Structures are given as structure tokens and as C-alpha cells.
């Protein structure tokens, strides 16, 4: 008879990767529904195509690597990658955009590095960055929130736009931004609140003048503030279920909050405040669903605090001084690159090895 000796805890709840991914998907549902309410049916077309392409690419890669396809598909990691990428791009972006991004995320970022648990970078964010650099126009063509327009296209027209970039009546995505007066709404309201602020500040306006635009209202921007609150709710569910730990979300949000507060004190007329940074972009989605990827994040508790803080700081720096208004994807990938050095200096020392000599 063999006796196994192990440290406490001696009883633990074992969760499979598949069950953890299902909880992540469940927590994403409120945010997805809010996005659908404010930006229309396109998000469901993006999700459908992304999921189908992700499963197909995953199966082909597993077959090429002589691995069991079904076992790989059942872990739901490809599904989570597809969903995160699909909800990050404009709902009416052309279908081939999400196809290219999903194939790159699964085939290149995930399987070329060895598959599940081996990827150095967050697959969804790597795919997003490739799309943003390759197709900047399509990746920034967000419609204004539904309350600022005469109404978004319906299900059928959204499908037409998704497939052909024109409605059945021949209107393009740009044309359906027209308001009742015939004025191009995008000339008044940029794609996102962060994009709008960046554009106005570059033209010499102050922050208070920029936030007088129709897209701002309530906390930090019509539509976007509710999307962030929905993802915050989903993230808290993940914390409550212990799917993720608090270190990365807390340090990311704390770092971003501190940087935004300091910036507001130094230059209140030109640097957005805490509310804008936390609730006008993809901050909550990044803090709870993207940065917490267990494969590409730091491993120790101290390391995760450092890792999250790095992402928060980089998000602020790129939004303030860089060329992209949101910056979440770039911040996550840059932090992914720093994970080995973070782990090296924050990994707990094994008893009896290393440490200060007495």
C-alpha cells in the first residue's frame, strides 16, 4: 500500500477547465446583452461566425498535431477566445474581419505555441491587435449608441450589413450613421467616448468642452457606462465563484485610478478623470475577463498584483500619450511579455532553497 504525503488543504474542490470556461461565458452574458441593446444585432452575427471559425480552426489544428479533436474542443477555451474577440470589435465589422482574427488567435497564438496552457500571449487580444493594425477603418467603425440615432438597423438589415456592408436598400455603414437632419452623426460623435475625447483634445478643445458632446451623459458615456457596469457585475460573479482571484482586477483598476487621479490633478482641462477611464472603454472587460487569463498572466499572488498594475499603467499611458484611444489589447500583450521576469522575482521561495543566509 502506498501512502501519499501532501501539505494542506487536504480537501479541495476540483474544477475542470471546461467548467471554468463555462462560468466565464456565463458571466459574459450580461455585458453581451447590454452591448446588443445599445449597438444592435451585429454582435450576435460576430459571435456566431467567431465560434464556428474557432471550433473549425481548433479541430484542424488538433488534427494536424495528431491530438484528439473532441477532447480539445470540449475544454471550451477556443469558445472563450472567440467570444472575447467577437465582443471587442464593432458589431457591423465585415464578416471576414472576425474570420481572420479568429483564425490567427487560434492557429497562430494558441497552437503554434503548443496549444492549451502553452500560449505566451492572450489569443483574443493578439488577434484583436492584428485586426486593428491591418484593418483600422473596419475596426473603428462603431455605430453611435441606439439612443443617439433614429434607430439601429433591424435583424435582417444588420445581417446584410454584416455580410455585404450594405443594407438591402443599398445604404452603407457610414450612411446609416446619418441622423434625421441628414448630418453625418460621426462628425458630431466619434466612434467611442475615448475616441471622441482624443479627437477633441487634439483640436485644442478642453476636456469640459469635449464632454459636452451628445455621447456623454450620466456617469461616463451613453451606452459604454452600462456595458462596463454589466461586465463589472459579471466579473464580481467570477470572483464570488473563485474562478478568478482578486489580485489582477484590483491592481489593474487601482493603478488606472491612481494614474487618472494624478493626471486630473496635474492637468484637469486636458486629461480625463477616473470615471472616463473606468467606464468609457473596455476597462472592466479587461480587468475581469482578459487580463485574468490564467495561461498568459503571472502565476504568484505578488506577481499578479504587479502584472495587473502594469496593465493599468500602460492603459493610461497609451490612452494619454499613445496613438490608440482604448489601449487595452496593447497593454495586455506588453504585460504578457513581462510575465517571465515578473515570475522570476515574485515566485515564492521554496523552504530550504534560496533566500537570505543566516
Amino acid at each position: 500500500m502506498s501512502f501519499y504525503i501532501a501539505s494542506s488543504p487536504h480537501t479541495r474542490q476540483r474544477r475542470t477547465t471546461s467548467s471554468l470556461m463555462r462560468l466565464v461565458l456565463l458571466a459574459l452574458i450580461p455585458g453581451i446583452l447590454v452591448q446588443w441593446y445599445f449597438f444592435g444585432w451585429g454582435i450576435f452575427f460576430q459571435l456566431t461566425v467567431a465560434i464556428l471559425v474557432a471550433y473549425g480552426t481548433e479541430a484542424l489544428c488538433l488534427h494536424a498535431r495528431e491530438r484528439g479533436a473532441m477532447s480539445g474542443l470540449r475544454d471550451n477555451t477556443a469558445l472563450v477566445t472567440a467570444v472575447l474577440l467577437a465582443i471587442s470589435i464593432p458589431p457591423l465589422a465585415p464578416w471576414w474581419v472576425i474570420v481572420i482574427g479568429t483564425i490567427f488567435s487560434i492557429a497562430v497564438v494558441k497552437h503554434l505555441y503548443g496549444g492549451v496552457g502553452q500560449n505566451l500571449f492572450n489569443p483574443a487580444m493578439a488577434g484583436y491587435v492584428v485586426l486593428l493594425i491591418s484593418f483600422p477603418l473596419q475596426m473603428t467603425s462603431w455605430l453611435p449608441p441606439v439612443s443617439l440615432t433614429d434607430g439601429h438597423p433591424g435583424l435582417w438589415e444588420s445581417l446584410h450589413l454584416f455580410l455585404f456592408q450594405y443594407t438591402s436598400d443599398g445604404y452603407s455603414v457610414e450612411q446609416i450613421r446619418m441622423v434625421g437632419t441628414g448630418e453625418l452623426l460621426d462628425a458630431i460623435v466619434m466612434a467611442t467616448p475615448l475616441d471622441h475625447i482624443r479627437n477633441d483634445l487634439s483640436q485644442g478643445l478642453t476636456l469640459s468642452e469635449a464632454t459636452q458632446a451628445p455621447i456623454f451623459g450620466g456617469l461616463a458615456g451613453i451606452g459604454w457606462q452600462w456595458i462596463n457596469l454589466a461586465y463589472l457585475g459579471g466579473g464580481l460573479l467570477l470572483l464570488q465563484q473563485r474562478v478568478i482571484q482578486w489580485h489582477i482586477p484590483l491592481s489593474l483598476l487601482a493603478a488606472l485610478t491612481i494614474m487618472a487621479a494624478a493626471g486630473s490633478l496635474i492637468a484637469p482641462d486636458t486629461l480625463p478623470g477616473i470615471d472616463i477611464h473606468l467606464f468609457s472603454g473596455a476597462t472592466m472587460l479587461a480587468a475581469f475577463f482578459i487580463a485574468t487569463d490564467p495561461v498568459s498572466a503571472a502565476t504568484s499572488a505578488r506577481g499578479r498584483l504587479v502584472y495587473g498594475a502594469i496593465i493599468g499603467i500602460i492603459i493610461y499611458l497609451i490612452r494619454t500619450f499613445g496613438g490608440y484611444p482604448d489601449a487595452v489589447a496593447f497593454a495586455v500583450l506588453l504585460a504578457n511579455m513581462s510575465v517571465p521576469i515578473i515570475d522570476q522575482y515574485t515566485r515564492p521561495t521554496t523552504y530550504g532553497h534560496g533566500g537570505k543566509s543566516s
Side-chain angles (χ1 to χ4, degrees):
M1 178 180 292
S2 299
F3 293 94
Y4 296 97
I5 301 175
S7 60
S8 60
H10 299 292
T11 60
R12 65 187 68 183
Q13 183 181 8
R14 294 182 61 86
R15 282 175 165 168
T16 63
T17 301
S18 176
S19 65
L20 291 175
M21 294 299 105
R22 279 199 299 271
L23 284 171
V24 171
L25 294 167
L26 178 66
L28 283 168
I29 290 176
I32 292 173
L33 292 177
V34 176
Q35 275 190 243
W36 163 75
Y37 175 79
F38 283 103
F39 293 104
W41 292 97
I43 186 173
F44 291 124
F45 301 132
Q46 300 287 354
L47 284 168
T48 302
V49 172
I51 292 169
L52 292 176
V53 172
Y55 274 135
T57 307
E58 180 92 347
L60 287 173
C61 290
L62 289 170
H63 178 73
R65 296 174 57 207
E66 298 180 351
R67 304 291 177 87
M70 291 309 299
S71 61
L73 294 174
R74 288 196 193 102
D75 64 23
N76 293 326
T77 55
L79 181 58
V80 170
T81 297
V83 171
L84 289 177
L85 182 60
I87 63 179
S88 299
I89 71 175
L92 293 180
W95 63 269
W96 44 266
V97 168
I98 191 64
V99 169
I100 294 172
T102 307
I103 291 174
F104 184 85
S105 296
I106 301 297
V108 177
V109 185
K110 182 179 179 181
H111 280 283
L112 284 188
Y113 282 92
V116 176
Q118 304 299 320
N119 49 287
L120 302 180
F121 301 98
N122 185 297
M125 290 300 96
Y128 179 88
V129 166
V130 167
L131 294 178
L132 184 62
I133 294 173
S134 305
F135 313 108
L137 176 61
Q138 290 82 1
M139 289 293 289
T140 53
S141 296
W142 286 85
L143 292 179
V146 66
S147 55
L148 294 180
T149 69
D150 293 337
H152 282 170
L155 180 63
W156 177 246
E157 297 298 344
S158 295
L159 180 59
H160 254 267
L161 286 163
F162 175 68
L163 294 175
F164 310 113
Q165 290 298 286
Y166 288 94
T167 66
S168 58
D169 297 326
Y171 293 103
S172 67
V173 174
E174 291 296 320
Q175 288 173 314
I176 63 172
R177 292 176 173 174
M178 304 285 285
V179 295
T181 60
E183 189 172 11
L184 193 62
L185 187 59
D186 195 44
I188 306 171
V189 179
M190 294 301 291
T192 68
L194 291 172
D195 200 14
H196 182 89
I197 289 177
R198 168 178 292 275
N199 183 66
D200 276 8
L201 293 179
S202 68
Q203 295 179 3
L205 299 180
T206 65
L207 181 63
S208 58
E209 291 171 332
T211 53
Q212 296 301 313
I215 200 171
F216 291 96
L219 184 60
I222 295 174
W224 293 92
Q225 59 197 9
W226 297 110
I227 292 171
N228 273 282
L229 289 172
Y231 284 125
L232 172 61
L236 294 177
L237 173 65
L238 293 183
L239 286 174
Q240 189 272 333
Q241 290 293 315
R242 298 185 179 180
V243 176
I244 61 174
Q245 296 181 309
W246 57 269
H247 308 82
I248 292 175
L250 180 66
S251 60
L252 189 158
L253 296 177
L256 186 56
T257 299
I258 293 170
M259 296 288 288
S264 292
L265 289 174
I266 296 171
D269 290 335
T270 56
L271 297 180
I274 297 172
D275 54 343
I276 298 293
H277 278 286
L278 293 186
F279 296 102
S280 290
T283 303
M284 296 301 168
L285 181 65
F288 292 96
F289 294 93
I290 296 174
T292 52
D293 173 22
V295 177
S296 56
T299 54
S300 67
R302 283 193 303 158
R304 287 192 288 269
L305 288 171
V306 174
Y307 174 79
I310 288 175
I311 294 176
I313 292 171
I314 295 177
I315 287 175
Y316 182 82
L317 293 177
I318 295 179
R319 284 179 178 178
T320 304
F321 306 107
Y324 294 93
D326 201 335
V328 163
F330 289 102
V332 170
L333 295 186
L334 290 171
N336 288 161
M337 295 170 64
S338 66
V339 164
I341 195 72
I342 294 174
D343 281 343
Q344 179 177 343
Y345 287 102
T346 59
R347 186 178 294 122
T349 304
T350 304
Y351 181 74
H353 298 271
K356 296 180 180 178
S357 59
S358 58

